[in-house]
Structure formats: C-alpha cells, structure tokens
Amino acid sequence: MNDELKALHTNQTWHLVPRPTTTNIIGSKWVYRIKYKSDGSVDHYKARLVAQGFNQVAGLDFSHTFSPVVKSSTIRVVLTLATIHKWHLKQLDVNNAFLNDNLTETVFMEQPPGFQDPNRPNHVCKLNRAIYSLKQAPHAWFQRLSSFLITLGFQCSRADPSLFIFNHDGTLIYILVYVDDIIITGNNERFITSFTNRLHKEFKIKDLGSLSFFLGLEVTHTKFGVFTRNLKLKILAH
C-alpha cells in the first residue's frame, strides 16, 4: 500500500482541496491481489487504490469511456507468425498505466482509506491524472499509448486497433496491447531492445521476459513451437 501511494504521489496524481459542496465526489477503496509464479508459488502481493467510478455522473466528471482490447483471433495470428518464423515473444507490463495521462474532466475523490492527511482530514483529492476504475481511464491510457507508438513509426491495424505494426527497411515488429499488458515480437531483436528502452523512458515498464501468461492464456514454449493451454491452441513450427 505504501508502494502504491508512493507511485501515486510521484506521478502527482492529485492534490488536496477543501471539500466542495455543490459537485459530485466519488469514493476510493483498496483492492488486493496475490500474483503467482508459473510454479504456483507466491511472486508478490499487490495493493491498488481504485476509484469508485460507478458513482461518476455522465457529462459532469466523465465523457468518453470506450477503449479497444485485442481480439483473441489477433493473438492467434501473431503467435502463429512468431512460431513459424522462430521470433522471440517478449511480454511487458506497464506499472500504474492509467497514471500516464492527464484528465480533461474535473474529478473529485475521497482520500485513500487509512491514509487521510491528519492535518486536512476533510479535504478531498482533486485528480490531475486518471486512476484505476475511473470510467474514462482506459480510454485516456489507450490514447496516450497509441499516440506515442504512432510517433515512433508504428501503424494501427485496420483489422484490430490494439495491434500496432512497424514495417520499415526490412524490420517487421508486431505489438499487441491489452490495457497495461503488452506483447512484442518481430524479426529484429536489436530494434525490440532499443524500442523497449525507449518505452521504459516514456512509461514505467516491467520486462516480464518470454511470454508466459496473457489474458488467461497460459503459454508454454517447446522445441516444436508454442502450446497455449486455455485456448486449446497448439502451434507447431514448420
């Protein structure tokens, strides 16, 4: 919880203001998760502060909410291409992804439970940046990430807006995006390494190594190719 609050304060996610009497104020709460390693042992404990976005009012503290998510058929195609061409599948996780974009609406939120400012206990948080469970947060984050990728020369696929493609001078790179989970593969490892470093400078990125788990899909790498457990999809290299 302290690590989460440190990240929120580092990103200047909010500033405290006197409680307004004539506008909507949404609640906040803590959500806890246990993340496991592939062998079933505990990797780490995660605490996340989220907004109670169900209390937001349309037209007052949110407008656009839609954010595309990658299609399962697109995942299959990219995994197939990577297996056939023996490309490495790299997985990245964006820490506190929704904190990377400024809000355009005015949103007030209650202080984090258990962490109220002792000198200003009745003040509320005026959000400067999006936070998890805000209705507009996924839309704001996707717009921020896609704009960054396009400036680097990637193009958004017409078939799937969550697939970004870089194709220049023989270098072919595919990026799959699902909120804060990213898969990268392609025919140029040096470019992928350089791009990952660039991405880390723009956002706070955690390199998860080879793809192992994505959208409930468990991926196992073998000498024959890639086996995916949940989708019952077996891909063999030719």
Side-chain angles (χ1 to χ4, degrees), residues 41-64:
S41 61
V42 174
D43 185 9
H44 65 277
Y45 298 94
K46 175 68 178 178
R48 173 163 286 161
L49 181 71
V50 302
Q52 294 180 322
F54 53 82
N55 288 327
Q56 289 183 260
V57 178
L60 176 63
D61 50 18
F62 80 92
S63 52
H64 300 294

Side-chain angles (χ1 to χ4, degrees), residues 175-189:
I175 294 181
L176 296 174
V177 178
Y178 185 88
V179 191
D180 54 359
D181 288 317
I182 299 174
I183 296 175
I184 305 177
T185 191
N187 64 358
N188 191 325
E189 285 292 327

Side-chain angles (χ1 to χ4, degrees), residues 96-153:
N96 302 104
F98 292 166
L99 305 184
N100 287 287
D101 195 67
N102 294 325
L103 285 175
T104 57
E105 302 89 358
T106 300
V107 182
F108 296 97
M109 184 185 77
E110 298 286 358
Q111 294 188 51
F115 291 88
Q116 291 86 354
D117 188 316
N119 298 319
R120 294 173 291 177
N122 294 320
H123 279 47
V124 296
C125 304
K126 183 178 181 182
L127 297 180
N128 304 315
R129 296 180 180 272
I131 191 173
Y132 284 89
S133 292
L134 279 186
K135 290 184 178 295
Q136 64 267 51
H139 175 81
W141 160 243
F142 185 82
Q143 291 297 113
R144 174 76 174 84
L145 177 62
S146 59
S147 297
F148 176 73
L149 293 176
I150 290 172
T151 61
L152 296 183

Side-chain angles (χ1 to χ4, degrees), residues 70 74-75 78 162-163 174-178 181-183 214:
V70 66
T74 304
I75 298 174
V78 172
S162 293
L163 170 63
Y174 294 100
I175 294 181
L176 296 174
V177 178
Y178 185 88
D181 288 317
I182 299 174
I183 296 175
F214 187 72

